[in-house]
Amino acid sequence: MPVSRRFALKLLAVAFPSGLAAFNAPSALALGGPQPPLNEVAPTFTLPTNTGDGQISLADYRGQWVVVYFYPKDFTPGCTLEARRFQQDLPKYKARKTQILGISADDVDSHAEFCDSEGLKFPLLADVDGTVSKAYGAWLGYASLRHTYIVDPQGRLRAIFTGVNPVVHSKEVLARLDELQADS
């Protein structure tokens, strides 16, 4: 089936910034807008999800560590690889009393299909209008960028990852989480 020009341009628009991010640009220069300040309260949110009672708030996880990761699109190669790595390491996150939350502009139905297809056991949240992605500086007009944030049990933003490489990202997040938990 031939790929439409519009689809190809959208794919390029999502892939190009993610590719640039792979060169690990400093967070101050991150695509998607200004990053929220470290060591201050993380931007709060409540979004629809494919799991549980239909909505999840960051505040639901007060008292534990949270990894909030933004990604462009369900079922794309980089996003699938990143999700698989988080799933593969899920027992390690649970051992560290840490919840993983994935966020993209895809809707709840797409997230449900993606979780079923990939066997994901952590929630994916639907930020269809990009409001939360914008608050975190992870929005590119119609899709979330590949950025990750670690939030501590008090709700403070403790780490920001831009320039994410999906192949090794979960390991990087675990290493940083270990450092942060050792310091607290």
Side-chain angles (χ1 to χ4, degrees):
M1 178 162 104
V3 176
S4 75
R5 184 176 196 186
R6 185 176 189 178
F7 177 78
L9 289 174
K10 280 185 177 182
L11 186 59
L12 182 60
V14 170
F16 182 72
S18 296
L20 282 178
F23 290 104
N24 220 4
S27 60
L29 302 174
L31 294 171
Q35 299 298 294
L38 281 175
N39 300 316
E40 293 190 18
V41 175
T44 60
F45 58 81
T46 300
L47 289 171
T49 183
N50 60 305
T51 61
D53 63 5
Q55 288 205 332
I56 288 181
S57 297
L58 181 59
D60 295 341
Y61 300 100
R62 192 57 69 97
Q64 65 181 302
W65 292 85
V66 182
V67 171
V68 180
Y69 86 95
F70 293 86
Y71 66 98
K73 187 129 186 76
D74 293 338
F75 299 104
T76 57
C79 298
T80 299
L81 181 60
E82 185 176 23
R84 285 177 181 168
R85 294 292 197 259
F86 277 122
Q87 180 59 44
Q88 176 183 346
D89 292 335
L90 189 58
K92 295 174 184 175
Y93 286 100
K94 287 185 177 186
R96 291 162 175 82
K97 297 183 180 6
T98 301
Q99 175 65 50
I100 297 171
L101 300 175
I103 300 177
S104 83
D106 291 313
D107 63 25
V108 171
D109 292 337
S110 178
H111 287 335
E113 290 176 31
F114 190 46
C115 284
D116 289 346
S117 170
E118 297 303 323
L120 304 180
K121 304 296 183 204
F122 54 85
L124 299 179
L125 287 64
D127 186 21
V128 294
D129 65 0
T131 301
V132 176
S133 299
K134 289 173 193 167
Y136 279 82
W139 186 244
L140 189 66
Y142 55 85
S144 300
L145 292 167
R146 199 178 310 283
H147 292 174
T148 300
Y149 304 84
I150 297 177
V151 179
D152 73 11
Q154 293 74 42
R156 292 174 300 166
L157 184 61
R158 297 298 304 278
I160 298 172
F161 297 85
T162 60
V164 169
N165 177 347
V167 175
V168 296
H169 185 53
S170 181
K171 299 290 184 218
E172 294 170 334
V173 173
L174 283 167
R176 184 66 180 125
L177 188 58
D178 285 344
E179 292 170 2
L180 291 167
Q181 288 181 345
D183 289 343
S184 59

